Structures are given as C-alpha cells and as structure tokens.
Amino acid sequence: MTLALDGVRVLDMTHVQSGPSATQLLAWLGADVVKVEAPGGDVTRGQLRDVPDADSLYFTMLNCNKRSITLNVKTQRGREILTGLVRGADVLVENFAPGAVDRMGFTWERVREINPRIVYASIKGFGQGPYTNFKAYEVVAQAMGGSMATTGFEHGPPLATGAQIGDSGTGVHAVAGILAALLQRERTGRGQRVNVAMQHAVLNLCRVKLRDQQRLTHGPLAEYPNEDFGDEVPRSGNASGGGQPGWAVRCAPGGPNDYVYVIVQPAGWTPLAALIGRPELAQDPEWATPEARLPKLAKMFQLIEEWTATQPKWQVLEHLNAHNIPCGPILSPKEIIEDASLADNDMIVEVAHPHRGTFTTVGNPLKLSDSPTTITTPPLLGQHNEDIYIGELGLSRDELPQLKEQGVI
C-alpha cells in the first residue's frame, strides 16, 4: 500500500524540537525525510542522555522514520552538495536562527532559482518586528503567545504548561502549511515559502483567552471562578474556559495525580446531585439552574470533591460515566505509558534501536485509513551517507572518504 506522501522528498535541516516534530509527522505520512546534520550531529543526540554512548530519548522520539546524512554547509563543497540535494527535493524545512540559512548562500530567491517547485518552510521564534532576533525556547514562546499569563491560579505566578505547545505545537502548524503548499503546487506548478513562528502558533492555541479579553470589556466573566476582575483576563486555575464549568477534584487516596476533571452540564446536574448525596439540590432554586450555580462554582466543586475524595479516581469515573457526565482522569506519564488502550491505538509504541535496545515513543496521532503508519527506528548519525551521496547524487565511492577527511561530511 502506498502512503499519503509517497514520492515526496523532504530535506530536514532542523534541530532540537520544533522542526524535527514537523518533519517526523511528514515521515509518518510517508515522505522520504532526509535529515541533514552537521558532522557533529543534532545537539539533542547527546542532550539528557540516559544510556551511555547512545542517542538520547530527546533525539530518538523526534526523529523516527528518517534517514540521516552529515554535511558541513560552511564548506564550498558542502554547499555544492546541498545545491544538488535542493534540486531533487520537494520540501526543505529549517529552524536555524534568523538569517543563518541566508548566510550559507541559500536565500529563498536562490533556493527557488535552484528548484522552482520546492516548498521552503522556515520555523522561527517570532515574526518580523522587534522580537525577530529574540532567542526562542519553548517556554519563551508560551510566555509571549498568551499562554503563561492565563495559566495558573488566581494571585499565583504565571505558569508554563507541560504540553510543548511552543515547539511541537509549532511543528504541527508547519506541517499544515507545508501540506497546503504542496497541494497548491499541484495547481500552479510552483513551490512557495512557508513561514511559521512559535509565538504565532501559541497565540493561535490561546484564541479563547483573546475571546475572553474582549468579553471582559462588557463585564465580569461569569463562568470564571474568580471573585475580582480587572482589565485583563485573570488566571483561573483549572476552570474549563468554556461555556460549561469544570474543575479537577481530588480523589482517594490523595496522591499527586489522584484527580478527576469533571464538567457540569445542565443535564448532568440532577444525576450529579444524587451521586454526591445531595439530591435536593436538583430542585433547590439556589442550585437548580446554571445561572444560579455560576456565582458559587467554588462551593459547587467543593461539594463534588467531598464525594470524590472518598473513592479512587477510576471508581469515580465509573459512576460519572454511567450518567453521561463529562469527565476524565488526570493521567500521569507513567499511567499513559502503561495504558493498554493507547498501545492498542498505536499511540504508545515500542521501537527497537541498535544502541538503546527498545524505547517507548508516541505514535502518529494522524490516522489515515489508506496510509497506515509504521514507526521505524531513528537513524544513526550519517547512517545514509553512502546511500544518498553515492546511490542518489552519483558521487564516486572514492570521493566519500576524501570528503570525510576534509570535514565536508
């Protein structure tokens, strides 16, 4: 069976997380992704290393299903080789600092001259303007995209989210842009430039907070549990941020992740009141309607927690789901790795590695019926030099050791 992106060649000139997360998704969709690394390799091969002399989990979990070549594009011969690679590629993805690829001699104008059909995607921290040259990291993007200001508890400090919305979130946005450009190329025959900024991607994921910032000009936000409102959207703890109130309530035995997130819909209030042992609240005018409950959300979730705190979270879930009350357990990374249903859905995957043995990684969240994904091991550094340089670019077998001696590969 052919895969969705069979026949698409991607030059992956990315490193760390935002770029590799994008190119790994393209590889999972069937593209031939060639990771172009400096002779020293992607810095994450050695970062946070847990097994001596083996590529780190940081690297392996972001670079499955790719091929690796080494190339020093600071050398003249390296730039000549890269020119040949660009000529045969459909997509080039890079996430270097602003201007770095231009200084190598590969401006968008030059790349388009070499290959008018190429889609040239760049991931940067910020768009054009005063932030352009700021160094971008995951939490910096969260800070400047609106996430941190709205995450945390009232009167507490701004908090980062554990989800990598700055790096991997931007990678997903980049994939959308690349696929759109490839589709447009089918109509126009031309490639194009795709630019995605981490700050912009985080902002796109924080749109509901911009919604609430505008609503705030017309008065307090009733669905927020906060008592006081100024002229900025406040941090609101675990409030759902939507039209139906929700909160994480503690369960027995009281461990750090013994919580269930519960959403109280209008239709769920009567069965929920019965479950918590307060059936009379379903008819009490002070509690019976959403409008009556909104001013006392903290008290409502306190009553629910007095019930949930007496039972393990899985038992709480059983009771709530029996009445179609929206809920979900707080799952720790350990619980997720051990979750059989995630393994059955190929979202927790075991991958063999020649140096590490077997490692666990996240599977492809994009499920295509005619393009199933098989996760394969990430490449060793320069593993495919011979295949690509000799077999595909036509370099002579004698030249390869010379290029290595000269520091070109």
Side-chain angles (χ1 to χ4, degrees), residues 115-175:
N115 182 353
R117 288 176 54 82
I118 200 165
V119 172
Y120 183 171
S122 292
I123 297 173
K124 298 291 178 264
F126 309 94
Q128 292 299 312
Y131 310 136
T132 300
N133 292 312
F134 282 25
K135 287 185 72 70
Y137 279 80
E138 167 66 45
V139 183
V140 172
Q142 289 188 31
M144 297 181 68
S147 176
M148 288 188 71
T150 54
T151 302
F153 285 86
E154 189 176 19
H155 309 307
L159 295 177
T161 173
Q164 302 292 283
I165 61 175
D167 276 320
S168 287
T170 304
V172 175
H173 282 77
V175 169

Side-chain angles (χ1 to χ4, degrees), residues 329-366:
I330 308 303
L331 296 180
S332 69
K334 181 177 185 295
E335 289 173 303
I336 286 172
I337 284 178
E338 296 171 352
D339 191 308
S341 69
L342 291 172
D344 291 343
N345 281 276
D346 294 324
M347 282 309 302
I348 294 295
V349 182
E350 298 293 316
V351 180
H353 187 275
H355 295 163
R356 296 188 59 87
T358 299
F359 69 95
T360 302
T361 194
V362 178
N364 186 2
L366 308 177

Side-chain angles (χ1 to χ4, degrees), residues 1 32 54 133 210 324 338 389:
M1 180 182 290
D32 175 18
N133 292 312
L210 268 70
N324 293 316
E338 296 171 352
Y389 289 141

